[in-house]
mmCIF file of all heavy atoms in Angstrom:
data_model
loop_
_atom_site.group_PDB
_atom_site.id
_atom_site.type_symbol
_atom_site.label_atom_id
_atom_site.label_comp_id
_atom_site.label_asym_id
_atom_site.label_seq_id
_atom_site.Cartn_x
_atom_site.Cartn_y
_atom_site.Cartn_z
ATOM 1 N N LEU B 1 76.073 107.374 104.125
ATOM 2 C CA LEU B 1 75.197 107.885 102.995
ATOM 3 C C LEU B 1 74.203 108.824 103.490
ATOM 4 O O LEU B 1 73.848 109.896 102.855
ATOM 5 C CB LEU B 1 74.593 106.691 102.230
ATOM 6 C CG LEU B 1 75.593 105.798 101.524
ATOM 7 C CD1 LEU B 1 74.792 104.621 100.861
ATOM 8 C CD2 LEU B 1 76.404 106.556 100.452
ATOM 9 N N VAL B 2 73.544 108.472 104.635
ATOM 10 C CA VAL B 2 72.558 109.320 105.201
ATOM 11 C C VAL B 2 73.185 110.703 105.683
ATOM 12 O O VAL B 2 72.623 111.762 105.472
ATOM 13 C CB VAL B 2 71.876 108.733 106.430
ATOM 14 C CG1 VAL B 2 70.979 109.697 107.162
ATOM 15 C CG2 VAL B 2 71.039 107.535 105.921
ATOM 16 N N ALA B 3 74.381 110.615 106.243
ATOM 17 C CA ALA B 3 75.083 111.848 106.692
ATOM 18 C C ALA B 3 75.359 112.760 105.558
ATOM 19 O O ALA B 3 75.180 113.946 105.611
ATOM 20 C CB ALA B 3 76.352 111.453 107.429
ATOM 21 N N VAL B 4 75.838 112.181 104.425
ATOM 22 C CA VAL B 4 76.117 113.010 103.240
ATOM 23 C C VAL B 4 74.881 113.674 102.723
ATOM 24 O O VAL B 4 74.857 114.836 102.392
ATOM 25 C CB VAL B 4 76.792 112.095 102.147
ATOM 26 C CG1 VAL B 4 76.861 112.871 100.773
ATOM 27 C CG2 VAL B 4 78.180 111.717 102.543
ATOM 28 N N SER B 5 73.771 112.934 102.661
ATOM 29 C CA SER B 5 72.510 113.498 102.175
ATOM 30 C C SER B 5 72.031 114.588 103.007
ATOM 31 O O SER B 5 71.635 115.680 102.520
ATOM 32 C CB SER B 5 71.495 112.321 102.093
ATOM 33 O OG SER B 5 70.196 112.856 101.703
ATOM 34 N N TYR B 6 72.019 114.356 104.390
ATOM 35 C CA TYR B 6 71.566 115.439 105.261
ATOM 36 C C TYR B 6 72.442 116.642 105.296
ATOM 37 O O TYR B 6 71.892 117.765 105.351
ATOM 38 C CB TYR B 6 71.295 114.827 106.627
ATOM 39 C CG TYR B 6 70.100 113.970 106.846
ATOM 40 C CD1 TYR B 6 69.372 113.469 105.763
ATOM 41 C CD2 TYR B 6 69.566 113.642 108.096
ATOM 42 C CE1 TYR B 6 68.270 112.627 105.856
ATOM 43 C CE2 TYR B 6 68.418 112.863 108.255
ATOM 44 C CZ TYR B 6 67.795 112.357 107.171
ATOM 45 O OH TYR B 6 66.686 111.617 107.256
ATOM 46 N N LEU B 7 73.701 116.421 105.395
ATOM 47 C CA LEU B 7 74.592 117.541 105.538
ATOM 48 C C LEU B 7 74.599 118.360 104.256
ATOM 49 O O LEU B 7 74.678 119.686 104.368
ATOM 50 C CB LEU B 7 76.041 117.059 105.839
ATOM 51 C CG LEU B 7 76.246 116.607 107.331
ATOM 52 C CD1 LEU B 7 77.703 116.138 107.458
ATOM 53 C CD2 LEU B 7 75.882 117.703 108.289
ATOM 54 N N SER B 8 74.496 117.790 103.151
ATOM 55 C CA SER B 8 74.601 118.597 101.907
ATOM 56 C C SER B 8 73.316 119.446 101.742
ATOM 57 O O SER B 8 73.476 120.569 101.299
ATOM 58 C CB SER B 8 74.729 117.600 100.642
ATOM 59 O OG SER B 8 73.604 116.689 100.599
ATOM 60 N N VAL B 9 72.203 118.927 102.140
ATOM 61 C CA VAL B 9 70.997 119.747 102.001
ATOM 62 C C VAL B 9 70.965 120.916 102.997
ATOM 63 O O VAL B 9 70.275 121.898 102.769
ATOM 64 C CB VAL B 9 69.794 118.891 102.132
ATOM 65 C CG1 VAL B 9 69.401 118.543 103.579
ATOM 66 C CG2 VAL B 9 68.525 119.558 101.446
ATOM 67 N N ILE B 10 71.620 120.785 104.081
ATOM 68 C CA ILE B 10 71.730 121.846 105.096
ATOM 69 C C ILE B 10 72.852 122.825 104.732
ATOM 70 O O ILE B 10 72.695 124.023 104.799
ATOM 71 C CB ILE B 10 71.868 121.283 106.511
ATOM 72 C CG1 ILE B 10 70.747 120.452 106.950
ATOM 73 C CG2 ILE B 10 72.198 122.379 107.559
ATOM 74 C CD1 ILE B 10 70.986 119.689 108.196
ATOM 75 N N ALA B 11 74.004 122.312 104.408
ATOM 76 C CA ALA B 11 75.199 123.102 104.173
ATOM 77 C C ALA B 11 75.212 123.916 102.935
ATOM 78 O O ALA B 11 75.514 125.140 102.893
ATOM 79 C CB ALA B 11 76.450 122.234 104.294
ATOM 80 N N TRP B 12 74.854 123.271 101.834
ATOM 81 C CA TRP B 12 75.026 123.987 100.492
ATOM 82 C C TRP B 12 74.169 125.277 100.355
ATOM 83 O O TRP B 12 74.734 126.213 99.879
ATOM 84 C CB TRP B 12 74.558 123.006 99.375
ATOM 85 C CG TRP B 12 75.637 121.962 99.118
ATOM 86 C CD1 TRP B 12 76.894 121.893 99.762
ATOM 87 C CD2 TRP B 12 75.544 120.829 98.278
ATOM 88 N NE1 TRP B 12 77.588 120.728 99.255
ATOM 89 C CE2 TRP B 12 76.770 120.090 98.328
ATOM 90 C CE3 TRP B 12 74.538 120.384 97.433
ATOM 91 C CZ2 TRP B 12 77.044 118.994 97.611
ATOM 92 C CZ3 TRP B 12 74.795 119.184 96.628
ATOM 93 C CH2 TRP B 12 75.998 118.522 96.764
ATOM 94 N N PRO B 13 72.889 125.316 100.823
ATOM 95 C CA PRO B 13 72.237 126.611 100.730
ATOM 96 C C PRO B 13 72.893 127.690 101.544
ATOM 97 O O PRO B 13 72.969 128.833 101.173
ATOM 98 C CB PRO B 13 70.833 126.319 101.269
ATOM 99 C CG PRO B 13 70.645 124.844 101.036
ATOM 100 C CD PRO B 13 72.012 124.261 101.297
ATOM 101 N N CYS B 14 73.453 127.304 102.669
ATOM 102 C CA CYS B 14 74.093 128.355 103.545
ATOM 103 C C CYS B 14 75.350 128.909 102.905
ATOM 104 O O CYS B 14 75.604 130.085 102.883
ATOM 105 C CB CYS B 14 74.385 127.784 104.927
ATOM 106 S SG CYS B 14 72.861 127.396 105.858
ATOM 107 N N TYR B 15 76.147 127.975 102.410
ATOM 108 C CA TYR B 15 77.446 128.411 101.751
ATOM 109 C C TYR B 15 77.096 129.233 100.497
ATOM 110 O O TYR B 15 77.770 130.189 100.148
ATOM 111 C CB TYR B 15 78.254 127.194 101.392
ATOM 112 C CG TYR B 15 79.045 126.606 102.567
ATOM 113 C CD1 TYR B 15 78.665 125.386 103.150
ATOM 114 C CD2 TYR B 15 80.070 127.312 103.113
ATOM 115 C CE1 TYR B 15 79.355 124.869 104.233
ATOM 116 C CE2 TYR B 15 80.754 126.817 104.222
ATOM 117 C CZ TYR B 15 80.396 125.565 104.781
ATOM 118 O OH TYR B 15 81.075 125.074 105.803
ATOM 119 N N ALA B 16 76.031 128.822 99.713
ATOM 120 C CA ALA B 16 75.715 129.594 98.498
ATOM 121 C C ALA B 16 75.212 130.944 98.895
ATOM 122 O O ALA B 16 75.503 131.982 98.245
ATOM 123 C CB ALA B 16 74.588 128.816 97.789
ATOM 124 N N PHE B 17 74.514 131.082 100.024
ATOM 125 C CA PHE B 17 74.021 132.371 100.476
ATOM 126 C C PHE B 17 75.196 133.314 100.762
ATOM 127 O O PHE B 17 75.235 134.454 100.401
ATOM 128 C CB PHE B 17 73.179 132.195 101.744
ATOM 129 C CG PHE B 17 72.685 133.466 102.338
ATOM 130 C CD1 PHE B 17 71.649 134.178 101.840
ATOM 131 C CD2 PHE B 17 73.411 134.039 103.490
ATOM 132 C CE1 PHE B 17 71.227 135.382 102.379
ATOM 133 C CE2 PHE B 17 72.963 135.191 104.004
ATOM 134 C CZ PHE B 17 71.932 135.934 103.522
ATOM 135 N N VAL B 18 76.165 132.743 101.456
ATOM 136 C CA VAL B 18 77.410 133.601 101.775
ATOM 137 C C VAL B 18 78.149 133.993 100.562
ATOM 138 O O VAL B 18 78.665 135.085 100.444
ATOM 139 C CB VAL B 18 78.273 132.800 102.765
ATOM 140 C CG1 VAL B 18 79.620 133.541 103.039
ATOM 141 C CG2 VAL B 18 77.585 132.607 104.083
ATOM 142 N N LEU B 19 78.247 132.986 99.627
ATOM 143 C CA LEU B 19 78.958 133.289 98.354
ATOM 144 C C LEU B 19 78.310 134.501 97.609
ATOM 145 O O LEU B 19 78.996 135.322 97.135
ATOM 146 C CB LEU B 19 78.978 132.067 97.500
ATOM 147 C CG LEU B 19 79.682 132.179 96.122
ATOM 148 C CD1 LEU B 19 81.162 132.557 96.288
ATOM 149 C CD2 LEU B 19 79.506 130.888 95.328
ATOM 150 N N ILE B 20 77.014 134.514 97.562
ATOM 151 C CA ILE B 20 76.263 135.510 96.875
ATOM 152 C C ILE B 20 76.352 136.853 97.571
ATOM 153 O O ILE B 20 76.449 137.933 96.895
ATOM 154 C CB ILE B 20 74.812 135.059 96.657
ATOM 155 C CG1 ILE B 20 74.712 133.858 95.816
ATOM 156 C CG2 ILE B 20 73.957 136.239 96.108
ATOM 157 C CD1 ILE B 20 73.253 133.209 95.829
ATOM 158 N N ASN B 21 76.438 136.878 98.897
ATOM 159 C CA ASN B 21 76.296 138.122 99.645
ATOM 160 C C ASN B 21 77.569 138.443 100.435
ATOM 161 O O ASN B 21 77.458 139.098 101.466
ATOM 162 C CB ASN B 21 75.045 138.042 100.556
ATOM 163 C CG ASN B 21 73.778 137.852 99.833
ATOM 164 O OD1 ASN B 21 73.242 138.801 99.312
ATOM 165 N ND2 ASN B 21 73.268 136.608 99.862
ATOM 166 N N ALA B 22 78.695 137.935 100.032
ATOM 167 C CA ALA B 22 79.933 138.041 100.908
ATOM 168 C C ALA B 22 80.290 139.533 101.240
ATOM 169 O O ALA B 22 80.487 139.832 102.401
ATOM 170 C CB ALA B 22 81.061 137.393 100.166
ATOM 171 N N ALA B 23 80.259 140.383 100.200
ATOM 172 C CA ALA B 23 80.671 141.780 100.450
ATOM 173 C C ALA B 23 79.713 142.467 101.413
ATOM 174 O O ALA B 23 80.095 143.155 102.387
ATOM 175 C CB ALA B 23 80.759 142.515 99.170
ATOM 176 N N GLN B 24 78.367 142.219 101.201
ATOM 177 C CA GLN B 24 77.457 142.883 102.141
ATOM 178 C C GLN B 24 77.509 142.412 103.531
ATOM 179 O O GLN B 24 77.297 143.110 104.504
ATOM 180 C CB GLN B 24 76.023 142.677 101.558
ATOM 181 C CG GLN B 24 75.779 143.361 100.234
ATOM 182 C CD GLN B 24 75.943 142.430 99.097
ATOM 183 O OE1 GLN B 24 76.920 141.682 99.056
ATOM 184 N NE2 GLN B 24 75.098 142.531 98.064
#
């Protein structure tokens, strides 16, 4: 449960950033 909590808060913003700016 701790691993899921920590990884999601680190991973999701980074993946969202790439999704928004993929072409650039």
Side-chain angles (χ1 to χ4, degrees):
L1 296 177
V2 171
V4 168
S5 175
Y6 281 20
L7 284 181
S8 59
V9 77
I10 296 173
W12 285 355
C14 295
Y15 282 110
F17 175 81
V18 173
L19 178 62
I20 295 169
N21 299 283
Q24 295 95 318

